[in-house]
Amino acid sequence: MPDTTSADVFSGRVVEWHGEEGWGVLASDALPDRVWAHFSAVRAEGYRELTAGQSVTFSAERAEQDGYRRRAVSVWPGAGARRSSDRSERPGYSSELSIRFDEP
């Protein structure tokens, strides 16, 4: 089995997430093992929490963590999210909301 480094990026899903404790488990069809993830690895603005069943893109490294053989280095929420070309830690997607109120 080849070693996984932080440069390897995988598409996957959140298997479970413990919001009160700030950690969860990710899975990818490209990996034989599940991956432990801490909220600090989630690349999102504001409160960083994931939901079971949610699609994610993540990088992982080989590391023993709470019984798991791999640990997430970076996690980007949403399907198809990818690391930007300048290799920054910002997510590869964005959204916008505009609210306008009519004057009476």
Side-chain angles (χ1 to χ4, degrees), residues 60-80:
E61 64 185 0
R62 284 180 143 294
E64 294 291 328
Q65 182 71 50
D66 295 337
Y68 295 91
R69 294 175 30 189
R70 299 176 193 272
R71 176 177 53 215
V73 175
S74 294
V75 181
W76 297 275

Side-chain angles (χ1 to χ4, degrees), residues 18-86:
H18 305 275
E20 313 80 38
E21 299 170 9
W23 69 277
V25 180
L26 310 177
S28 172
D29 292 340
L31 292 171
D33 304 312
R34 294 202 168 165
V35 178
W36 184 90
H38 190 259
F39 82 92
S40 63
V42 177
R43 303 299 176 215
E45 297 291 324
Y47 187 72
R48 296 175 286 185
E49 182 172 37
L50 302 173
T51 304
Q54 180 178 6
S55 294
V56 293
T57 301
F58 62 94
S59 61
E61 64 185 0
R62 284 180 143 294
E64 294 291 328
Q65 182 71 50
D66 295 337
Y68 295 91
R69 294 175 30 189
R70 299 176 193 272
R71 176 177 53 215
V73 175
S74 294
V75 181
W76 297 275
R82 290 281 187 257
R83 188 184 307 235
S84 65
S85 60
D86 66 359

